[in-house]
């Protein structure tokens, strides 16, 4: 066996070990808490994070990150997301993440712009500094939401093709681990059958009049079911309610 073959096999074993470790992690975190640390060992970076963002309400509904010593030195006002929302249109990788994804996919910032171009933008100075290179694995999620693993480096050297290939190979397994953890935790709120029916219609993109016609009830009844569901779930938007009850499209 060649040295190259031995190295490739060792790398594949490391990938498998990280996935196995995460599968044995039965914590309530979604995805499993051990997964980020394992991925950071596999893809060396200054910080690895996972986040789910509800775009209409601008709420981080889920967030994890590995330890990083220099958060206090980053741009912006004490970690505020104001700058992010102000300059979000400049973050082309983020625009890609927020798009529809029928399957997991991976890209890095330099697929969209050079490091020099990024560093000349307000999105960098106010939000991303000192991270110059960011690799991302976007997972499928509900419309108007993002669900993404990110790997951030202060060094301006982009991620290698080997590293990006590794992330693309890992991506479907990361999604499976997310799904397993989400189903294991499950919704802790009990809705009525009719409230669930209404939310299923919402998840399919139906407006209130269409839902009323579908369920043979009045629009005011639909709105009342939504109000009750929102109160039980502790959310304020249809998107957030759907994502809370149906974290995966397959549940529908």
């Amino acid at each position: 066996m060649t040295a190259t073959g031995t190295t490739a096999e060792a790398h594949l074993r490391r990938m498998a070990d990280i996935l196995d470790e995460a599968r044995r992690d039965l914590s309530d975190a979604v995805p499993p808490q051990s997964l980020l640390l394992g991925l950071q060992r596999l893809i060396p970076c200054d910080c690895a994070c996972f986040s789910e963002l509800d775009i209409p309400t601008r709420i981080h509904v889920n967030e994890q990150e590995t330890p990083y010593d220099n958060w206090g030195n980053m741009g912006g006002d004490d970690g505020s997301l104001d700058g992010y929302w102000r300059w979000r249109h400049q973050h082309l990788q983020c625009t890609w993440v927020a798009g529809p994804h029928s399957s997991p996919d991976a890209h890095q910032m330099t697929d969209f712009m050079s490091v020099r171009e990024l560093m000349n933008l307000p999105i960098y100075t106010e939000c991303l500094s000192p991270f110059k290179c960011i690799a991302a694995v976007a997972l499928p999620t509900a419309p108007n939401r993002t669900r993404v693993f990110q790997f951030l480096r202060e060094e301006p050297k982009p991620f290698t093709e080997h590293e990006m290939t590794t992330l693309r190979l890992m991506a479907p397994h990361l999604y499976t681990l997310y799904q397993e953890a989400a189903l294991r935790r499950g919704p802790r709120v009990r809705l009525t059958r009719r409230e669930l029916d209404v939310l299923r219609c919402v998840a399919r993109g139906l407006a209130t009049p269409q839902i009323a016609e579908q369920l043979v009830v009045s629009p005011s009844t639909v709105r009342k079911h939504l109000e009750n569901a929102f109160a039980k779930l502790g959310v304020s938007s249809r998107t957030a309610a759907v994502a809370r009850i149906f974290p995966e499209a397959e549940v529908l």
Side-chain angles (χ1 to χ4, degrees):
M1 183 177 295
T2 65
T4 301
T6 302
T7 301
E9 285 192 0
H11 188 66
L12 288 172
R13 282 197 298 272
R14 289 179 62 202
M15 293 166 62
D17 288 344
I18 289 166
L19 296 173
D20 287 341
E21 180 184 10
R23 288 192 182 95
R24 293 193 299 270
D25 183 346
L26 300 181
S27 65
D28 283 341
V30 181
Q33 290 178 332
S34 61
L35 185 56
L36 272 184
L37 291 171
L39 290 172
Q40 189 174 28
R41 295 195 303 269
L42 187 68
I43 307 294
C45 56
D46 296 294
C47 179
C49 62
F50 174 83
S51 67
E52 293 185 84
L53 178 65
D54 185 69
I55 295 173
T57 59
R58 299 188 175 187
I59 293 174
H60 271 85
V61 295
N62 187 4
E63 191 167 19
Q64 295 181 36
E65 61 193 28
T66 59
Y68 176 67
D69 294 334
N70 296 323
W71 286 121
N73 297 326
M74 292 183 66
D77 50 343
D78 299 325
S80 169
L81 286 174
D82 290 346
Y84 169 79
W85 290 109
R86 183 163 52 251
W87 303 111
R88 185 173 177 271
H89 62 282
Q90 297 180 341
H91 197 328
L92 300 184
Q93 186 183 35
C94 185
T95 302
W96 165 76
V97 167
H101 296 277
S102 59
S103 61
D105 197 8
H107 280 288
Q108 64 172 316
M109 182 70 81
T110 51
D111 293 334
F112 304 94
M113 66 179 70
S114 69
V115 174
R116 183 186 296 272
E117 289 173 320
L118 173 66
M119 293 179 65
N120 286 329
L121 295 175
I123 186 71
Y124 174 78
T125 55
E126 290 196 25
C127 304
L128 301 179
S129 175
F131 301 121
K132 301 173 183 67
C133 290
I134 305 172
V137 177
L139 305 185
T141 187
N144 292 320
R145 289 174 73 93
T146 63
R147 178 182 293 163
V148 60
F149 289 90
Q150 290 183 295
F151 307 87
L152 304 99
R153 285 178 177 168
E154 296 181 19
E155 184 182 4
K157 185 178 180 181
F159 291 81
T160 67
E161 185 57 37
H162 174 71
E163 290 169 331
M164 294 306 301
T165 298
T166 296
L167 288 178
R168 292 187 182 102
L169 290 172
M170 294 284 280
H173 302 287
L174 301 183
Y175 186 35
T176 298
L177 285 168
Y178 178 95
Q179 291 174 302
E180 291 172 351
L183 290 173
R184 190 164 59 241
R185 184 174 69 177
R188 294 189 172 95
V189 176
R190 192 172 187 85
L191 300 182
T192 68
R193 179 176 178 179
R194 212 46 160 169
E195 289 164 356
L196 284 169
D197 288 342
V198 169
L199 287 179
R200 287 190 178 93
C201 291
V202 170
R204 292 188 170 93
L206 300 184
T208 296
Q210 296 170 310
I211 297 173
E213 182 179 357
Q214 178 82 18
L215 301 181
V216 196
V217 297
S218 68
S220 62
T221 298
V222 171
R223 286 190 286 270
K224 187 62 178 177
H225 285 314
L226 284 173
E227 289 174 8
N228 291 339
F230 288 179
K232 292 178 181 178
L233 296 169
V235 299
S236 58
S237 75
R238 297 183 178 208
T239 302
V242 168
R244 174 76 167 86
I245 292 299
F246 308 122
E248 304 308 324
E250 290 85 347
V251 176
L252 295 174

